[in-house]
Amino acid sequence: MPHAAPAELPASITRRARAGRTAMQARRGASSGRDANPLHVPYITRGIPTHDLLSDEALDGIIATADRILAEIGIEFREDPETVRLFQQAGGKARDLGDDRWNLTFEPGLIRGLLATAPAEFTQHARNPARSVRIGGRSMVFAPAYGSPFVMDLDKGRRYGTIEDFRNLVKLAQSSPWLHHSGGTICEPTDVPVNKRHLDMVHAHIRYSDRAFLGSITAPERAEDSIEMCRILFGADFVDRNCVIMGNFNSTSPLVWDGVSTRGIRAYAAANQGSIHLPFLLGGAVSPLTMPGAIAQCLAESMVGCALTQLVRPGAPAILGSFLSSMSLRTGSPTFGTPEPALGSLVMGQIARRLNMPLRCAGNFSTSKLPDAQAMTQSMMSMMSAVNCGANFILHSAGFLDGLLSMSYEKMMLDMDLCGALHAWLRGLEVNEDTLAFEALAEKGPGEHLFGCAHTLRHYQTAYWDSALDDNDTHETWSEAGGVDAMTRANRAWKETLATYEAPPLDPAIDGALCDFIARRKAAMPDAWY
Amino acid sequence: MPHAAPAELPASITRRARAGRTAMQARRGASSGRDANPLHVPYITRGIPTHDLLSDEALDGIIATADRILAEIGIEFREDPETVRLFQQAGGKARDLGDDRWNLTFEPGLIRGLLATAPAEFTQHARNPARSVRIGGRSMVFAPAYGSPFVMDLDKGRRYGTIEDFRNLVKLAQSSPWLHHSGGTICEPTDVPVNKRHLDMVHAHIRYSDRAFLGSITAPERAEDSIEMCRILFGADFVDRNCVIMGNFNSTSPLVWDGVSTRGIRAYAAANQGSIHLPFLLGGAVSPLTMPGAIAQCLAESMVGCALTQLVRPGAPAILGSFLSSMSLRTGSPTFGTPEPALGSLVMGQIARRLNMPLRCAGNFSTSKLPDAQAMTQSMMSMMSAVNCGANFILHSAGFLDGLLSMSYEKMMLDMDLCGALHAWLRGLEVNEDTLAFEALAEKGPGEHLFGCAHTLRHYQTAYWDSALDDNDTHETWSEAGGVDAMTRANRAWKETLATYEAPPLDPAIDGALCDFIARRKAAMPDAWY
């Protein structure tokens, strides 16, 4: 029996495809000196419309509910009287709950009004100016996953992350053209004392990446250290005038902002640095199970965090955050990459545009324990909603597995490759006489293939996203080459990437000053593991 | 070191989630007699807006290019003078090319005008009336993949498909609530002679499924046999008045319709049955590399196929088809699940709505040889564009691997599970006082979890899509249970499904009549293998 083509795919196409590549390859050889990949950009400027889910009326309902939550239920603040004072001064009504806790309510629209001075868009500067990113508007920035205590790879399985893993993961991110930002706690370096690891983390971002990054938020003094290291890197004046570092702050949902977060937010804002204000909403546990309610709560909590920045320093960059997740109703386990939170992301995009605020939203989420089919189905559900909602900053763009408990070396490679595809997706389609290609069909007419036509030769190098990790060979070729799956290819790819990694140049005087600062700070305090 | 939660996910959430399930599970036990899953539907009625990519002006440009292709380059027809006569009679200008070949040109708008009598929506009846599907408008129908010569599973690897595989795959499809249609050539049953396999295929769809299905298109007499079997099943009068079977026809791109297809199209249309008109466009091979040009060509070819049905029998159901694919520019291999064709799907959705025609578009495409991370990344890129463009009939919703050369048992299970998630996605979000859930947060206030609140107990059974295949357990539980990946779970799932499969009831008299017909037809011709 001959090697049959599927009923829908004439065998002649496959045969002709293989013949046709000769002409293309010959031409490719002749033009090796051409420009770099046009998809390589320091950040994406979205070229496609957003996918808007709700009517204006439905959005009104959600925003009104957020206002009502703030006016009638209020937000609880803990262990930060200065933040309470700032909000009282701005019109909030405080009720002292004792134990360093206050409930504040805000009349409808008050908090939204405070956001008027927050920038709709801003630049976060990288130490390599060509890598600075724009955050807001039609811009989109991909950053690796954040905050996992474990790392995993196919060779060694799951174990606690170390500073060596941290550095490896920063190097992998830096090596990919498809991320734009070095992220923050790319994994927890659990072999470094808790009160000192932020110094090594920020140093790793500066040394092994030339992209923008996030600083520490686990204690106000660690936030200050992170910003101080940027002053060494960029100069104090530059830092006072420009955003060079950001902190990613979580509310304590439902409806609480604790003092560690609010004091950290105040530290970043006072230094004119950026901050992300992220409720981590697990539906049914810390937020309503129904998405409209979860979104209203998210909005209430996140707007309050953003508003605090403006009370500290009007004009400081602030990012609205959304992390909507769900729960397995059979087992009570948190779930990620499910459709309902993905729909919620579309709504958050609409609301952020209404508020004229930059949005951090979703990412390549998964609960899978391996970089397998489940991992990418869930990731795609979540990530496509992030890019289609027009999110501006997508933390967790690469590496996320195990419900965020583990950072996977292989998933990181797979996700970064996907991020490349999303560059092509977000570019969209240009419709003009050239792309309408009447000439391509007219050149030879019905029944004749288009391999050699002028239009094809002009476009074949840039027409399609071509994954570096996917296998598109015939089954025979794939099988002869060992018949490996995508996670095995990803395993090989991260090892090859680390083996050939070269650090971007860094002024030795600056690195010396950073090392001195770190040594001084480490010497000034005993190790602490909490 | 304690089992740490990620920085973004407070450990307390996970602990509380596990405590909270007790209350939910107790309640679930008390309501076991409740209604079936509200997501179980005979077909989807899209509850979310489409994701529209292009401006009206850009769409005008594409439609005008399709018109120009038809007017200035024309379509070549082969070996079917009756079709040429019908188009000439309708205003087409024919040029005899010799060898039973004709070039026909159509003045701009002529072909589109012929589509005016085609129904914007129609019902394809299933033998179980509760399974009949609506095609067009806001309806969406998922059908399994179509046309692979090979099948594969993890135990036996890749081999040619057999009639046993065909039956197994029909049974798997029938067993899933997330498909709506039994499809057609779910794999090629290569152990049955080519000129007789359509009889066994149609019989398998009737016997092992109670859903609607597709008939043969590989020869006009096989199309007639398929329709005749439906007359036995539904009665001749019913068939003449209603769509009960459809044929899926490919043009021979670029810009050719051959006589096997056009005579088949005429057979289905004459019997008032449906037909899909599908250009299989591999960019750079049989269509321009640039998507706007490929879409214009797709439109020209597909509209001509649809128009033919209306010349044969005005009002016969016809479906516009789009299968846009790409090519690896490094190797010349066809690629599937890339972003550019996915963008093209969004445009095809817009155009189909302009033309007021039902659309078949995309599916769970992949070139991977295994149901792995690559398979689902590519599938999701393609499938999300199909559902978000508002396609009405999505063939290839489950099982597609290996660039459509292989139907995978495991991929079929994974894709069907994904189709379940897409039911939740396409339902969208309802915004009302109940879903805005102010009461849920007000009940206990800031800092208190929502497990026990009335709103949670009212919604927890239906709030979230809960995959039957995904693993959402802790790493420890997953690991203790064997630590298997998604494809291994899918392998177990298809075996369990086949082991517990029960055929839907079928009147023995009807099955007897079908068996007689098949025996008569098989006896009437010698085996042929082409």
Side-chain angles (χ1 to χ4, degrees), chain A residues 169-243:
Chain A
L169 294 163
V170 169
K171 290 175 186 177
L172 291 179
Q174 164 76 11
S175 301
S176 172
W178 309 125
L179 298 181
H180 314 112
H181 194 280
S182 196
T185 308
I186 198 164
C187 72
E188 279 291 344
T190 62
D191 54 344
V192 181
V194 169
N195 63 334
K196 300 181 179 178
R197 56 178 73 149
H198 64 288
L199 299 163
D200 289 345
M201 290 196 281
V202 170
H203 195 203
H205 281 300
I206 295 174
R207 199 177 231 176
Y208 300 112
S209 170
D210 61 355
R211 292 182 176 142
F213 57 89
L214 303 177
S216 179
I217 48 87
T218 56
E221 65 276 16
R222 297 175 201 155
E224 294 288 4
D225 282 344
S226 304
I227 297 165
E228 193 56 33
M229 289 175 76
C230 286
R231 293 194 181 106
I232 294 170
L233 180 63
F234 288 96
D237 277 2
F238 189 87
V239 171
D240 189 57
R241 284 180 285 107
N242 296 283
C243 175

Side-chain angles (χ1 to χ4, degrees), chain A residues 2 8 21 51 160 248 254 280 285 290 329-331 340 367 369 374 435 447 460 465 467 471-473 489, chain B residues 2 8 21 160 248 254 280 290 329-331 340 360 367 369 374 435 447 460 465 467 471-473 489:
Chain A
E8 292 217 332
R21 70 171 116 153
H51 189 187
Y160 278 101
N248 179 67
F280 191 130
T290 49
L329 305 172
R330 289 175 298 152
T331 66
E340 295 83 4
T367 50
K369 318 304 178 293
Q374 175 185 336
T435 62
Y460 81 92
W465 161 248
S467 159
D471 178 90
N472 293 310
D473 280 328
R489 288 194 299 277
Chain B
E8 290 216 332
R21 69 174 115 153
Y160 278 101
N248 180 66
F280 190 132
T290 49
L329 305 172
R330 289 175 296 153
T331 66
E340 296 82 5
R360 175 201 151 183
T367 51
K369 317 305 176 294
Q374 174 186 337
T435 63
Y460 81 92
W465 162 247
S467 159
D471 178 88
N472 292 311
D473 279 328
R489 288 194 298 276

